[in-house]
Amino acid sequence: MSITDILTAKDIDAALASVAAENSFQYKAFFQKVGLSGKSADQVKKVFEILDRDCSGFIEEDELSLFLQNFKSDARALNDAETKAFLKAGDSDGDGKIGVDGKGFFPSFCKLFYVYWSP
């Protein structure tokens, strides 16, 4: 599974161009530009699996710092401030990871993408 099975190359390029400068990453704007907002829960689960590089069932801080490189290998890494802000937005239980918590699957991750469902 590749990220381009879910998103278009044109949207990916436009989104990456919008965050090319240091300190320019805002996850809500990026998700909108890349076309992730509003994807189905199944599509979000597939994206989660791509981002979870070590297949731990969680996305940890080191994986988040490489977030943009999942979309294109030559994209920049997020800096510490961007990574920490992104983690804070998705870590609903304070364990320093984004993953399964509560009912349903990947609720903290899904909330970042504005995906709503009934558990």
Side-chain angles (χ1 to χ4, degrees), residues 45-60:
K45 182 179 179 184
K46 289 175 184 169
V47 170
F48 182 95
E49 291 168 354
I50 292 167
L51 299 176
D52 179 18
R53 291 179 170 204
D54 64 2
C55 301
S56 67
F58 298 96
I59 300 174
E60 295 90 3

Side-chain angles (χ1 to χ4, degrees), residues 20-90:
E22 190 83 9
N23 294 314
S24 64
F25 181 76
Q26 300 292 322
Y27 72 91
K28 290 179 184 179
F30 182 82
F31 294 156
Q32 197 71 20
K33 287 181 193 266
V34 82
L36 278 172
S37 295
K39 291 294 184 189
S40 73
D42 186 54
Q43 290 169 312
V44 172
K45 182 179 179 184
K46 289 175 184 169
V47 170
F48 182 95
E49 291 168 354
I50 292 167
L51 299 176
D52 179 18
R53 291 179 170 204
D54 64 2
C55 301
S56 67
F58 298 96
I59 300 174
E60 295 90 3
E61 190 170 341
D62 61 329
E63 291 169 320
L64 273 185
S65 69
L66 302 176
F67 175 78
L68 298 176
Q69 295 170 4
N70 289 291
F71 295 89
K72 202 167 197 178
S73 62
D74 63 349
R76 72 177 181 90
L78 298 179
N79 64 34
D80 279 346
E82 291 169 319
T83 301
K84 288 186 187 316
F86 193 10
L87 181 61
K88 183 178 179 182

Side-chain angles (χ1 to χ4, degrees), residues 7 13 35 68 75 93:
L7 307 169
D13 288 342
L68 298 176
D93 64 2

Side-chain angles (χ1 to χ4, degrees), residues 41 100-108 110-111 115-119:
V100 179
D101 54 14
K103 296 182 179 179
F105 74 161
F106 312 115
S108 60
C110 290
K111 83 173 186 174
V115 175
Y116 302 96
W117 71 95
S118 297

